Amino acid sequence: MNVVVVESPAKAKTINKYLGSGYKVLASFGHVRDLPAKDGSVLPDQDFEMFWEVDTASQKRMKDIADAVKSSDGLFLATDPDREGEAISWHVLDLLKKKRVIGDKPVKRVVFNAITKKAVLDAMANPRDIDTPLVDAYLARRALDYLVGFNLSPVLWRKLPGARSAGRVQSVALRLVCDRENEIERFVAEEYWNISALLKTPRGDEFEAKLVSHLGKRIQRNSVTNGDQAATIKALLEGARYGVESVEAKPVKRNPGPPFTTSTLQQAASSKLGFSASRTMQIAQKLYEGIDIGGETVGLITYMRTDGVQMAPEAIDAARAAVLDQFGPRYVPEKPRFYSTKAKNAQEAHEAIRPTDFNRSPDKLRRFLDSDQMRLYDLIWKRGIASQMASAEIERTTVEILADNNGEKAGLRAVGSVIRFDGFIAAYTDQREEGEAAEDGDDEDGRLPDINAREALAKQKVSASQHFTEPPPRYSEASLIKKMEELGIGRPSTYAATLKTLSDREYVITDKRKLVPHSKGRLVTAFLENFFTKYVEYDFTADLEEKLDKISAGELNWKDVLRDFWQDFFAQIEDTKELRVTNVLDALNEALAPLVFPKREDGSDPRICQVCGTGNLSLKLGKYGAFVGCSNYPECNYTRQLTSDGGAEAEAGGSNEPRALGKDPVTEEEITLRSGRFGPYIQRGDGKEAKRSSLPKGWTPASIDLEKALSLLALPRDVGPHPETGKMISAGLGRYGPFVLHDGTYANLESIEDVLSIGLNRAVTVLAEKQSKGPGARGRTAAAAIKELGDHPDGGAITVRDGRYGPYVNWGKVNATLPKGKDPQDITVEEALVLIAERAAKDGGGKAKAKKAPAKAAKAKSDDGAAEKPKKAAAKPKAVAAKKAPAKTAAKAKTTKKSAT
């Protein structure tokens, strides 16, 4: 018997059926070990030695694998076909060697791009060894993300309270969003006029032509800049005679695009289906791992983390055969189509995302898939088959028209297009993805009537319309992923995780599918741009990604890359130790002037306090983050929050006056929008009995109206009785976010919109999925350590932390609140020992318990995770004393492991 190790139990079950009784297939459930979330897990001074930890769940799984390998004939490592999958195989093999169960048994690595019987059997027949350069690239990426997260995040905590953490790729992605917001704020609208004429042919057909020249000068979009100029041209056209100078009909061919890569799939799913990047990858993972099709579990698509655009030769042949069968011979091009990627640093190590069998058309699978799976599979199938279809044939007609008014002449042009042969468009509606440039003819869908050269035209109407240029649009998830790919930032497996991190940390909020940087995200970006400029530069990040690719190709030594990076990075970290908070605030005041000092309607100086009239406004840093305050404090106590939409909203927030939204139609009580110490909230009525609700993540004060306020105040709401128990299911917004609740069981929802709209069927499904995963750990994560004081005489570190109710001293399980008014940066170890002793005495026995548990260091979630893609949630590390590291920080970065989704 041979043992085969895969990543997920779903794949294990399917592959075991393919291989038969001579094999035992076991799942690792993603990563089996990771760097402990504590300082000292990567030691640059010891040639970047890395310390790995196996969590409790993985220990049991590794024991099962080890027991099976003991009595086996050989081991096949069949984890995913990418850098992360290679790393998991390496980790499994390393642990098995340490358990001494391998001996002289043969160990082989197999990879398959699709979970079909043929793909799996072919892979098993062609094994290889573990790809060492690929593992080295993983180790380098993991170490880089760890070193940035564990050393840069504590700098943010010390110099920029309220900031969560920073990461290598996440910080650069955040900069893209913030830079776009800066462009929008600096944008100055310019006036321009569009001029056109509605004309009629001798046969009575009307069409519109646009002005393209005036008195021999070419007219472009912004050429006519004022009403007087537009009126002059309009007058000329009103009195002119019109004649057709030329009619040119030009055939144009449009070729299909390649099959999907990870990024193009995420872009198309966002633009056409409204899916987030993470939702797209969750659904794609299920389609890849397999769906029950009539009693047989079958993988429906190839591996979904790829930047390759080519299909395997047999897949191309199958696609062409399917085109012939379903569309006819005219739709099959003479030769197969081959594609190459334009993305920077693309590896093209795998196939593009395609159906495993083109004969499984969406209609044949409709009854086996849920709605979202069906929609995504339909998109993948259509794009895949269209990539091997004939070009669309379009006839584009351009009509040039001369307007003559007593020798004053102007030129007009009318353009129309007609599809003569639909080609690939018959399979894949070729609408542009968000952010894609227009191709020839894309902007002209209209069809022109029959128009002949040299014939006269009758004027029906001349129009001159005023317009203003618009700022560049905010990024959507789709357009941000496209931009990251163009710049070579991140990799296919990191895009979704990076975007989720930005959202989870509330650095970015999503408003109408657009990414809006939160004030705390803009503060972090401005801080990094001023004091860690190099590490948020696009080219630097892309070059580092290219070095990682060269490591995987065996062209660079991974530790040489780490040494080069660490030398400069550590020096910059050390330089910030002398950085004063006043220096930080001065830099941020200038960098974020439009946000901090929005223009006032009366034209007064936005930096002068509007309450006292003499004080200067400036950023201030408090334990709940940054705010704007007056320099005359405490005589003038004017403060206001920073908002993501600046301007009037910011000033309204500074008045601390409630904003009336309307009356509750049932109780007749006034509903108001207010600002409190924890941010904006909704209130109904007054006094102690008033009901309140904080604004959920993603909702800005400017977007709140009476309808939204009433929906929040109505929570929790009853969804309906559970069909099995008859007990009521409710949906609400709690301490840990949106949820549904049934009989004591909570299940998380993705957004507040889900809370307000979820129906009974979906709620039952969400609860069932939660129960199938088993009980999970609950409770708040440890608060961030903002200062280390040293070791307690009885062992264990003493730290100062910033908690929900203010700063406190922590030692093991003992938490002692600081006296009111005490600056946490001024606390000494002697004062802390007194506070700890008093707190332990009050708790009664707390001190004894505390001796057994040294302090846990503060966590900082690393940027795109510790790895290229999330494999599973990071296990909570055992409490261990922080090791001494070169950066001398005790900060922990919460790492993201690879999960089945």
Side-chain angles (χ1 to χ4, degrees):
M1 181 198 71
N2 289 301
V3 171
V4 180
V5 177
V6 295
E7 292 182 39
S8 78
K11 283 196 288 186
K13 186 177 179 181
T14 303
I15 292 170
N16 223 142
K17 289 181 182 178
Y18 295 157
L19 297 180
S21 58
Y23 294 86
K24 184 172 185 178
V25 185
L26 299 172
S28 72
F29 288 78
H31 267 292
V32 293
R33 65 181 181 183
D34 202 353
L35 296 172
K38 61 183 175 65
D39 194 48
S41 296
V42 178
L43 300 178
D45 286 355
Q46 297 181 29
D47 200 25
F48 298 96
E49 185 177 0
M50 302 168 77
F51 295 91
W52 304 97
E53 180 179 77
V54 183
D55 62 44
T56 304
S58 293
Q59 286 177 358
K60 182 181 183 306
R61 291 169 190 139
M62 280 307 303
K63 182 180 183 304
D64 294 341
I65 293 172
D67 290 344
V69 171
K70 279 182 185 178
S71 56
S72 71
D73 298 321
L75 172 66
F76 287 86
L77 299 166
T79 49
D80 284 349
D82 59 5
R83 181 160 40 201
E84 196 69 13
E86 205 74 18
I88 293 173
S89 287
W90 174 78
H91 279 298
V92 169
L93 181 58
D94 191 53
L95 286 171
L96 291 175
K97 286 180 178 178
K98 289 179 178 177
K99 290 177 179 289
R100 299 183 179 179
V101 297
I102 293 293
D104 57 356
K105 293 181 174 66
V107 177
K108 293 296 180 184
R109 172 83 167 107
V110 294
V111 292
F112 34 82
N113 196 42
I115 302 177
T116 62
K117 189 170 185 178
K118 182 180 185 304
V120 171
L121 294 179
D122 286 349
M124 295 295 287
N126 297 281
R128 61 169 173 81
D129 294 328
I130 286 180
D131 189 329
T132 300
L134 212 55
V135 174
D136 288 346
Y138 155 80
L139 294 173
R141 182 182 295 275
R142 188 67 191 86
L144 284 169
D145 291 340
Y146 173 92
L147 291 171
V148 171
F150 275 80
N151 291 281
L152 187 52
S153 296
V155 175
L156 282 178
W157 297 334
R158 291 192 299 268
K159 308 299 181 184
L160 203 64
R164 300 287 293 276
S165 56
R168 188 176 61 85
V169 174
Q170 163 232 318
S171 297
V172 182
L174 177 60
R175 182 190 167 190
L176 278 169
V177 178
C178 293
D179 281 357
R180 177 58 56 86
E181 198 70 15
N182 291 336
E183 285 182 65
I184 294 171
E185 288 175 345
R186 291 193 302 265
F187 179 82
V188 178
E190 296 180 355
E191 180 184 7
Y192 70 96
W193 290 72
N194 282 339
I195 301 173
S196 62
L198 182 65
L199 305 173
K200 181 188 288 188
T201 70
R203 290 157 294 284
D205 299 317
E206 293 183 344
F207 66 97
E208 185 179 55
K210 295 180 180 179
L211 180 75
V212 293
S213 67
H214 175 240
L215 303 181
K217 293 183 179 179
R218 185 180 177 187
I219 299 294
Q220 296 178 305
R221 180 186 177 189
N222 300 340
S223 296
V224 183
T225 58
N226 58 70
D228 292 341
Q229 189 180 0
T232 300
I233 298 174
K234 184 179 179 182
L236 183 156
L237 295 178
E238 290 282 9
R241 296 190 308 275
Y242 294 82
V244 179
E245 286 209 311
S246 65
V247 178
E248 181 184 12
K250 182 180 179 183
V252 177
K253 284 192 174 184
R254 292 188 59 192
N255 299 319
F260 285 127
T261 62
T262 301
S263 67
T264 55
L265 176 63
Q266 290 170 349
Q267 291 166 46
S270 173
S271 300
K272 297 185 178 184
L273 308 180
F275 291 168
S276 67
S278 58
R279 180 65 178 148
T280 300
M281 297 311 288
Q282 288 171 0
I283 299 169
Q285 181 88 30
K286 291 180 181 179
L287 294 175
Y288 164 69
E289 290 189 344
I291 301 292
D292 190 338
I293 307 294
E296 180 185 2
T297 302
V298 179
L300 298 181
I301 64 170
T302 53
Y303 192 56
M304 65 287 161
R305 293 184 177 91
T306 176
D307 52 15
V309 293
Q310 192 55 270
M311 295 195 297
E314 60 270 20
I316 292 176
D317 292 342
R320 288 169 61 84
V323 172
L324 178 65
D325 178 61
Q326 298 193 35
F327 296 93
R330 190 180 176 189
Y331 288 83
V332 183
E334 183 180 346
K335 296 180 180 179
R337 295 186 181 277
F338 297 94
Y339 298 92
S340 59
T341 185
K342 297 178 182 178
K344 187 176 180 180
N345 291 342
Q347 295 172 296
E348 299 191 76
H350 313 296
E351 274 193 86
I353 304 168
R354 61 166 176 85
T356 54
D357 185 347
F358 279 99
N359 289 321
R360 291 196 189 98
S361 65
D363 287 340
K364 293 179 180 178
L365 297 179
R366 194 173 300 277
R367 63 193 180 100
F368 301 111
L369 304 178
D370 66 29
S371 173
D372 286 352
Q373 291 170 349
M374 180 64 204
R375 294 168 71 198
L376 192 66
Y377 180 78
D378 182 69
L379 202 63
I380 293 169
W381 186 89
K382 287 179 176 177
R383 176 90 168 215
I385 202 166
S387 71
Q388 289 300 320
M389 291 178 69
S391 302
E393 297 174 7
I394 300 170
E395 184 179 84
R396 190 178 191 208
T397 302
T398 303
V399 181
E400 301 290 349
I401 300 159
L402 179 65
D404 190 336
N405 186 343
N406 297 320
E408 291 188 338
K409 297 179 181 180
L412 297 94
R413 179 179 298 149
V415 179
S417 59
V418 179
I419 296 176
R420 296 300 184 189
F421 172 60
D422 56 1
F424 73 92
I425 298 176
Y428 185 78
T429 304
D430 193 40
Q431 67 184 64
R432 294 198 305 273
E433 318 298 2
E434 192 167 358
E436 238 177 21
E439 298 179 41
D440 286 344
D442 278 11
D443 57 345
E444 300 291 348
D445 295 326
R447 184 170 183 171
L448 293 174
D450 185 24
I451 304 173
N452 301 315
R454 305 303 173 191
E455 67 182 4
L457 301 170
K459 179 205 73 180
Q460 300 297 104
K461 181 182 178 181
V462 176
S463 300
S465 56
Q466 182 188 38
H467 300 273
F468 292 91
T469 55
E470 295 182 353
R474 289 185 172 117
Y475 286 109
S476 63
E477 280 200 355
S479 58
L480 181 61
I481 288 171
K482 184 177 180 67
K483 187 65 175 178
M484 290 172 66
E485 185 180 42
E486 288 174 357
L487 294 172
I489 297 169
R491 283 295 175 266
S493 54
T494 68
Y495 297 136
T498 299
L499 292 176
K500 187 175 186 304
T501 299
L502 294 178
S503 176
D504 289 347
R505 293 177 186 169
E506 296 183 343
Y507 285 165
V508 168
I509 58 177
T510 303
D511 183 23
K512 297 178 182 177
R513 295 178 59 195
K514 296 296 184 180
L515 302 178
V516 183
H518 193 280
S519 56
K520 68 177 70 173
R522 298 188 70 181
L523 285 168
V524 168
T525 296
F527 176 84
L528 295 176
E529 284 186 312
N530 276 274
F531 302 105
F532 288 88
T533 308
K534 177 179 178 181
Y535 301 99
V536 286
E537 286 179 350
Y538 305 135
D539 288 345
F540 175 81
T541 306
D543 288 345
L544 197 54
E545 292 287 353
E546 188 171 6
K547 288 179 181 178
L548 292 170
D549 291 341
K550 288 183 177 181
I551 293 171
S552 65
E555 298 173 11
L556 286 178
N557 180 280
W558 68 284
K559 289 191 175 180
D560 288 344
V561 172
L562 290 179
R563 290 186 195 101
D564 290 343
F565 174 86
W566 179 250
Q567 183 177 359
D568 292 339
F569 183 69
F570 180 65
Q572 194 136 5
I573 291 288
E574 290 292 295
D575 288 343
T576 62
K577 290 183 177 180
E578 303 303 319
L579 186 64
R580 298 177 64 84
V581 172
T582 53
N583 302 136
V584 173
L585 295 179
D586 289 343
L588 296 185
N589 279 333
E590 294 306 315
L592 296 174
L595 174 70
V596 182
F597 312 111
K599 292 180 180 179
R600 293 175 180 160
E601 292 183 3
D602 61 6
S604 60
D605 187 348
R607 300 195 182 212
I608 299 298
C609 178
Q610 64 198 53
V611 174
C612 69
T614 59
N616 292 313
L617 298 181
S618 172
L619 273 175
K620 307 286 184 183
L621 297 178
K623 59 185 178 182
Y624 300 111
F627 62 95
V628 178
C630 179
S631 60
N632 284 341
Y633 178 85
E635 287 76 17
C636 177
N637 62 358
Y638 172 83
T639 62
R640 65 171 166 79
Q641 292 180 314
L642 287 174
T643 64
S644 299
D645 45 6
E649 184 64 37
E651 291 300 332
S655 67
N656 293 323
E657 291 293 327
R659 175 161 67 91
L661 299 173
K663 288 188 176 182
D664 189 305
V666 177
T667 67
E668 292 295 321
E669 292 175 298
E670 191 77 27
I671 296 177
T672 53
L673 174 65
R674 300 170 180 246
S675 181
R677 65 185 297 202
F678 299 110
Y681 64 95
I682 299 294
Q683 178 171 311
R684 181 176 61 203
D686 290 302
K688 293 182 179 179
E689 302 302 318
K691 183 166 184 179
R692 301 174 179 86
S693 175
S694 297
L695 297 195
K697 183 171 71 173
W699 283 21
T700 61
S703 69
I704 300 300
D705 54 20
L706 181 60
E707 182 181 358
K708 284 189 173 182
L710 289 170
S711 66
L712 286 179
L713 293 170
L715 298 178
R717 71 178 184 90
D718 290 341
V719 178
H722 196 288
E724 295 178 1
T725 67
K727 296 182 179 180
M728 183 59 66
I729 299 174
S730 62
L733 187 65
R735 185 178 178 184
Y736 301 107
F739 66 85
V740 286
L741 168 64
H742 166 253
D743 197 19
T745 297
Y746 287 85
N748 293 334
L749 295 175
E750 289 189 5
S751 67
I752 182 63
E753 283 74 20
D754 287 339
V755 174
L756 301 176
S757 63
I758 192 168
L760 184 59
N761 290 340
R762 175 64 179 155
V764 170
T765 300
V766 170
L767 288 161
E769 290 175 350
K770 171 65 183 293
Q771 290 176 328
S772 69
K773 296 176 183 176
R778 291 185 180 182
R780 297 181 73 235
T781 56
I786 57 178
K787 184 179 181 182
E788 284 185 18
L789 298 177
D791 290 334
H792 194 282
D794 292 334
I798 302 173
T799 57
V800 181
R801 298 171 183 261
D802 190 8
R804 182 179 182 187
Y805 302 107
Y808 64 93
V809 174
N810 168 261
W811 173 59
K813 293 185 178 180
V814 179
N815 297 323
T817 303
L818 296 190
K820 189 174 182 180
K822 183 68 176 178
D823 189 332
Q825 295 295 339
D826 295 339
I827 190 78
T828 65
V829 68
E830 291 77 17
E831 292 171 321
L833 288 170
V834 173
L835 293 172
I836 288 169
E838 292 174 352
R839 180 75 260 178
K842 287 181 182 180
D843 290 344
K847 183 176 180 180
K849 293 178 183 177
K851 289 181 182 180
K852 299 178 182 178
K856 297 178 183 178
K859 294 182 181 180
K861 190 175 182 182
S862 79
D863 128 62
D864 3 332
E868 282 200 29
K869 58 186 172 188
K871 282 282 178 173
K872 62 180 180 180
K876 194 172 184 180
K878 297 177 181 178
V880 284
K883 297 182 181 180
K884 186 177 180 182
K888 297 182 181 179
T889 64
K892 287 186 176 183
K894 181 181 177 184
T895 55
T896 305
K897 294 187 179 182
K898 197 176 181 190
S899 68
T901 59

